[in-house]
Amino acid sequence: MSARRRRSLFVAVTTAVLLAGVVGLAPAVAAPKGKAVWSACFRSFGPFECASVRVPLDYDKPNGADISIAMVRLPAANPTLRQGSLFINPGGPGGSGVDFAVFAAPVLFTQDVRDRFDIVGFDPRGIIRSDPLRCFGNPRQWQPYFTPFAFPLTDEEVDQWIAADRYLDDACDQRGGAILNHMSTANVARDMDRLRQAVGDEKLTYYGVSYGTMLGQTYANMFPHNFRALVIDGVLDPIAWTTGAPGEQDLPFSTRLRSDVGAQDTLDEFFRLCDEAGVACPLAGGGGAEARYAGLADTLRAGPILIQDPSTGDLFPYNYSFLIGDTLGAMYDSFVWPDFAQFLAFLESQASPATLGSALAAVRGTTSLARSSNELSRAAGGYIVRRGFPHYQNFIEGFPSVACSDSDNPDSYDAWVDAGAAADAAHGYFGRIWTWASAICAEWPGADADRYVGPFNSETDNPVLVVGAKWDPATRYEGAVIAHNLLPNSALLTVDSWGHTSLFASACADAAIAAYLISVATPAPGTVCNQDLVPWVDFGPGGP
């Protein structure tokens, strides 16, 4: 499998827009409490096995109501070398660990790791195959939640956004049920410790990316004696995620994370590498990529450009918010940068709607373009329903049910208006889009009294491996540095790469992670791994 295909696979399963609701050939066998009983499933994808484990709904009432957690595993490729289970989480929050394992486990990690570990994915409590939070009867009822823009700019758009949020709030308040108040990351960490025991492992081995790093940090601090190896890759600042540092309490948590700064830094690298490529990059020249992008942004602020959906032939208006949304999406994966530069050049020249549609399809990796960028960012589009279960994937409920349960946030939408405008003014293009990502928390009806808000500096028995990509548009490198500085027994691996997390970017990083997972051997202080392939130098449109 090519580097681009492997990286694209990762992006597909770690961004909720492309999460596929794939189902097994048989339901998991319900196990007695505390024990995983495995049965064959997903056999068209590999020798997968599924199980479900019962855990308490409320850990304050361990003998009260319980819920089911769905798991899948890919058994170790070489049973004679087997060391145990390796739990994985793809992020989100609200991402399906089952989907992540089914799609990615056969190519995740080095062969030495796959030889030695059963790779185990699970759907966190309330998510998809586990007993789910369900606020709607079917996906068709989601439609009023979607707005024709990726984030609001005008007062009218703010009103539309608030109305859409309240539609979801009301639905979850009426239909969410008891689990609505028990979906914090802390409870998922408690579940994961039960799952560790259910698979028979004395100590947990874990690899989490993106939001999965918040789960990893929470577990490490709540259960500092219970893991043998724990990797967090693409790291969230745990204080910004939960309560905020002193003086930040009036900011939404998604603003506190300063992902807008990470995204702008990554975009600046896109501009730099494009200009260095010269004629190989169609956005270079003519004043430079940065200036040409700014001019294009100004054009779209003045009015949209029509694009034709290549799958339907329908025309739709492509506006400024879509440009920012697609730019942010492209920054996740540098293998798409040459295609993205071509799309921007076509957009700048106002090429035909059909040409623009084909070019955008190459960037988004889909021919279904008529859905709005807001639908993409709010994680409802692109799911695949195959024959069988689950018939309902709770994409739109999943993110807020966890993130809003974990974090302190303002209770007035005015705070999002002010914070988004200030972040755009101070940090570039991505202040509003990252700020408004959490606006649903303003009036979210759920709350979890058992959430964990620190401390995040526990002395752990074994070291934590913290992995940070220098040019990450979602979980900026500084998050890894903060987590490393907080955890006294941790090692920092820096990856000089462009995109979200280190996965599939660097053979050097893959080897360092493998050495740690197998032997709990951390890289030497100051270790830096480089990305294997450089945009426009090692690959052009279409990727390597």
Side-chain angles (χ1 to χ4, degrees), residues 134-154:
R134 182 165 180 170
C135 302
F136 298 97
N138 58 69
R140 291 186 299 276
Q141 294 173 358
W142 295 345
Q143 195 56 44
Y145 179 63
F146 305 128
T147 56
F149 42 84
F151 55 88
L153 280 168
T154 67

Side-chain angles (χ1 to χ4, degrees), residues 160-238:
Q160 286 181 258
W161 191 281
I162 294 172
D165 278 355
R166 287 173 174 164
Y167 175 76
L168 177 57
D169 291 337
D170 291 344
C172 289
D173 191 31
Q174 294 174 26
R175 188 167 181 165
I179 199 168
L180 184 66
N181 294 315
H182 299 281
M183 288 189 63
S184 68
T185 298
N187 275 325
V188 180
R190 295 178 180 105
D191 294 343
M192 191 159 64
D193 201 54
R194 292 290 185 99
L195 299 181
R196 169 190 65 79
Q197 298 170 63
V199 301
D201 284 6
E202 182 179 353
K203 301 278 188 176
L204 177 75
T205 301
Y206 175 79
Y207 178 86
V209 296
S210 194
Y211 159 78
T213 68
M214 193 64 219
L215 175 58
Q217 291 177 84
T218 302
Y219 186 93
N221 283 280
M222 291 179 64
F223 302 99
H225 313 299
N226 288 17
F227 67 88
R228 63 170 292 278
L230 192 148
V231 184
I232 49 176
D233 185 349
V235 185
L236 289 166
D237 173 351

Side-chain angles (χ1 to χ4, degrees), residues 23 25 64 113 129 151 230 232 262 265 270 277 283 310 380 416 435 448 505:
V23 300
L25 299 181
V113 173
R129 297 169 185 81
F151 55 88
L230 192 148
I232 49 176
D265 289 345
F270 168 83
L283 203 66
W416 275 265
T435 290
D448 192 335

Side-chain angles (χ1 to χ4, degrees), residues 304-504:
I305 294 173
L306 289 178
I307 291 183
Q308 185 176 47
D309 185 329
S311 66
T312 67
D314 294 338
L315 295 174
F316 67 97
Y318 190 84
N319 62 35
Y320 171 79
S321 75
F322 294 175
L323 172 69
I324 301 306
D326 282 315
T327 302
L328 179 58
M331 294 305 102
Y332 272 58
D333 180 8
S334 63
F335 287 143
V336 82
W337 285 8
D339 290 322
F340 183 58
Q342 183 62 74
F343 168 68
L344 293 176
F346 284 144
L347 198 60
E348 179 187 49
S349 67
Q350 300 198 28
S352 71
T355 297
L356 290 173
S358 296
L360 184 55
V363 173
R364 290 185 177 174
T366 174
T367 57
S368 180
L369 303 180
R371 57 179 175 256
S372 70
S373 291
N374 182 64
E375 182 175 348
L376 300 181
S377 67
R378 286 178 175 225
Y383 66 90
I384 301 169
V385 179
R386 297 179 185 268
R387 180 173 59 86
F389 74 97
H391 297 288
Y392 181 90
Q393 293 86 20
N394 59 345
F395 292 134
I396 66 171
E397 301 101 313
F399 172 84
S401 62
V402 179
C404 302
S405 295
D406 282 353
S407 58
D408 291 343
N409 290 282
D411 58 7
S412 169
Y413 279 96
D414 290 343
W416 275 265
V417 173
D418 294 343
D424 264 359
H427 303 298
Y429 292 104
F430 303 101
R432 282 187 171 91
I433 194 169
W434 273 119
T435 290
W436 281 96
S438 65
I440 187 66
C441 294
E443 298 175 3
W444 181 250
D448 192 335
D450 292 324
R451 68 176 183 150
Y452 184 82
V453 296
F456 293 100
N457 58 355
S458 296
E459 184 73 51
T460 59
D461 287 356
N462 287 336
V464 174
L465 180 58
V466 181
V467 184
K470 285 292 295 293
W471 314 106
D472 190 317
T475 53
R476 64 181 186 135
Y477 176 70
E478 286 76 8
V481 174
I482 289 168
H484 171 53
N485 289 338
L486 284 169
L487 286 165
N489 190 11
S490 66
L492 175 63
L493 174 64
T494 298
V495 186
D496 195 354
S497 61
W498 305 277
H500 187 34
T501 83
S502 76
L503 268 178
F504 308 130

Side-chain angles (χ1 to χ4, degrees), residues 261-310:
V261 175
Q264 185 62 48
D265 289 345
T266 309
L267 181 60
D268 290 342
E269 283 291 289
F270 168 83
F271 294 147
R272 179 182 68 84
L273 291 170
C274 175
D275 288 338
E276 289 180 357
V279 295
C281 177
L283 203 66
E290 181 176 5
R292 291 176 65 181
Y293 183 91
L296 178 57
D298 288 342
T299 297
L300 288 170
R301 277 183 178 273
I305 294 173
L306 289 178
I307 291 183
Q308 185 176 47
D309 185 329

